[in-house]
């Protein structure tokens, strides 16, 4: 483990400048150091690395193979540091790669249609977008923002609410013509209730019974899917009955492709959508703050 008093970035910069300048004395003038100080620093660097970097057998500096490799890496490190400092100093100008993870229906039907406006407003931002209904670890996946549906678990992440929508039960006309239309939650026992192949916070479909009691109908269909958009497409195909957020299927309902079911027994529960991220306040990167503000400004779910 390196001693804390070693200035690694300073050593790298001196070594790179020596190579670029072609001599110790020229690098010393550039760095406003004495040639002896530059020579001692290079010797200390070589001792720490346990490798000779520069051959001093002739008047002209020559890099050893180890020195050539170290120069290439060192030059890249210095360039990255300079870029990081420029970005931090110009904090009000959003730029750089923005890594976004979104649940599939929101990504396809809300986020992607909005991205041209966002990128036109912030042309120096590059979007790196992944769509999945799996809950990811932002730190492990190196994501800046994740957009999630449903209740949020205990977490040190910060959340901004983007909207909410009632959850409804729907089926396609072709399914209902073949299997009939359920009139009460009990009728669902005779129907194909499609589910998700990941753990949900409620293991069933909630309804309100005729006497006002809570009813939870288990999901026992023969189709499991990985995300909400796949569930919507399965419902449209007539495979079975689905339970989805109203905003997600509103165009299908308006066009008659899906039919709402059992609305008299709907408990009125809503699915919330949040943007979650790490950090807050003045320490939030400009690109992340710009994206969050844009989502709050433009997203409509209800």
């Amino acid at each position: 483990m390196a001693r804390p008093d070693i200035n690694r970035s300073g050593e790298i910069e001196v070594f790179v400048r020596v190579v670029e300048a072609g001599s110790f004395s020229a690098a010393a003038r550039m760095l406003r150091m004495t040639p002896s100080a530059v020579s001692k620093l290079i010797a200390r660097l070589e001792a720490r690395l346990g490798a000779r970097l520069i051959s001093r057998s002739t008047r002209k500096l020559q890099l050893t193979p180890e020195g050539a490799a170290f120069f290439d890496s060192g030059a890249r490190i210095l360039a990255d540091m300079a870029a990081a400092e420029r970005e931090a100093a110009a904090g009000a100008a959003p730029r750089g790669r923005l890594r976004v993870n979104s649940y599939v229906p929101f990504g396809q039907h809300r986020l992607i249609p909005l991205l041209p406006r966002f990128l036109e407003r912030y042309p120096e931002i590059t979007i790196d977008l992944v769509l999945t209904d799996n809950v990811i670890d932002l730190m492990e996946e190196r994501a800046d923002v994740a957009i999630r549906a449903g209740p949020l678990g205990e977490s040190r992440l910060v959340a901004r609410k983007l909207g909410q929508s009632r959850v409804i039960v729907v089926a396609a006309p072709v399914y209902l013509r073949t299997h009939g239309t359920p009139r009460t939650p009990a009728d669902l026992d005779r129907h194909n209730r499609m589910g998700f192949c990941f753990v949900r916070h409620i293991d069933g479909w909630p309804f309100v019974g005729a006497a006002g009691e809570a009813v939870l109908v288990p999901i026992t269909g023969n189709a499991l899917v990985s995300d909400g958009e796949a569930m919507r497409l399965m419902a449209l195909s007539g495979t079975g009955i689905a339970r989805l957020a109203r905003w997600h299927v509103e165009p299908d309902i308006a066009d008659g492709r899906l039919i709402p079911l059992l609305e008299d027994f709907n408990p009125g529960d809503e699915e919330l959508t949040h943007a979650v991220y790490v950090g807050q306040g003045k320490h939030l990167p400009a690109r992340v703050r710009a994206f969050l503000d844009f989502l709050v400004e433009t997203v409509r779910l209800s």
Side-chain angles (χ1 to χ4, degrees), residues 7-137:
N7 184 353
R8 290 188 171 189
S9 62
E11 289 181 342
I12 292 172
E13 182 174 10
V14 170
F15 172 73
V16 169
R17 302 304 172 232
V18 165
V19 176
E20 291 177 340
S23 71
F24 284 68
S25 57
R29 288 192 297 271
M30 184 187 305
L31 296 168
R32 297 184 178 180
M33 299 171 63
T34 65
S36 63
V38 171
S39 180
K40 288 178 182 177
L41 191 147
I42 296 298
R44 186 176 71 186
L45 174 62
E46 290 177 325
R48 181 168 65 82
L49 296 176
R52 176 63 64 89
L53 302 177
I54 298 175
S55 174
R56 299 171 179 81
S57 58
T58 64
R59 289 183 176 272
K60 182 179 180 181
L61 292 180
Q62 290 198 353
L63 292 176
T64 64
E66 294 80 8
F70 191 76
F71 171 76
D72 290 339
S73 298
R76 285 196 300 270
I77 290 170
L78 293 178
D80 289 343
M81 289 175 59
E85 290 174 351
R86 287 194 301 270
E87 181 175 348
R95 58 166 55 85
R97 184 182 295 268
L98 179 68
R99 296 177 172 86
V100 179
N101 185 287
S102 172
Y103 72 99
V104 178
F106 184 91
Q108 290 189 350
H109 295 279
R110 288 294 188 272
L111 181 56
I112 289 177
L114 291 172
L115 285 182
R117 288 172 56 188
F118 177 75
L119 294 174
E120 182 178 2
R121 186 182 298 183
Y122 302 105
E124 295 186 66
I125 290 180
T126 299
I127 288 286
D128 184 339
L129 176 63
V130 174
L131 301 185
T132 176
D133 276 22
N134 292 330
V135 177
I136 66 157
D137 184 317

Side-chain angles (χ1 to χ4, degrees), residues 105 133 193-200 203 205 219 223-232 242-244 248 271:
D133 276 22
R193 304 185 297 281
M194 298 185 294
F196 292 97
C197 53
F198 53 84
V199 177
R200 303 280 287 180
D203 189 21
W205 291 355
I219 302 168
L224 298 174
V225 297
S226 62
D227 60 76
E229 181 62 8
M231 178 70 76
R232 169 181 167 269
R243 189 171 188 268
L244 294 164
H248 186 191
E271 180 182 85

Side-chain angles (χ1 to χ4, degrees), residues 119-187:
L119 294 174
E120 182 178 2
R121 186 182 298 183
Y122 302 105
E124 295 186 66
I125 290 180
T126 299
I127 288 286
D128 184 339
L129 176 63
V130 174
L131 301 185
T132 176
D133 276 22
N134 292 330
V135 177
I136 66 157
D137 184 317
L138 266 71
M139 299 297 290
E140 184 176 316
E141 299 293 331
R142 299 178 61 199
D144 294 305
V145 180
I147 301 171
R148 294 176 177 169
L152 298 176
E154 290 296 323
S155 170
R156 287 179 290 181
L157 298 174
V158 185
R160 287 184 71 171
K161 182 180 173 182
L162 300 180
Q164 61 198 53
S165 178
R166 288 179 68 247
V167 185
I168 62 173
V169 176
V170 293
V174 62
Y175 175 87
L176 298 176
R177 284 195 298 269
T178 303
H179 301 280
T181 300
R183 302 298 179 186
T184 69
D187 292 342

Side-chain angles (χ1 to χ4, degrees), residues 217-293:
V217 176
I219 302 168
T220 57
N222 63 4
L224 298 174
V225 297
S226 62
D227 60 76
E229 181 62 8
M231 178 70 76
R232 169 181 167 269
L233 294 175
M234 293 281 274
L236 287 170
S237 73
T239 303
I241 298 177
R243 189 171 188 268
L244 294 164
R246 176 97 191 193
W247 75 263
H248 186 191
V249 294
E250 189 69 53
D252 301 313
I253 293 172
D255 291 341
R257 295 188 298 267
L258 290 176
I259 307 298
L261 303 173
L262 304 172
E263 281 292 86
D264 290 342
F265 302 92
N266 192 321
D269 57 321
E270 295 182 318
E271 180 182 85
L272 276 66
T273 294
H274 291 89
V276 298
Y277 53 97
V278 179
Q280 57 184 331
K282 64 182 180 180
H283 300 299
L284 199 62
R287 66 186 185 279
V288 176
R289 186 182 299 108
F291 183 65
L292 293 170
D293 291 344

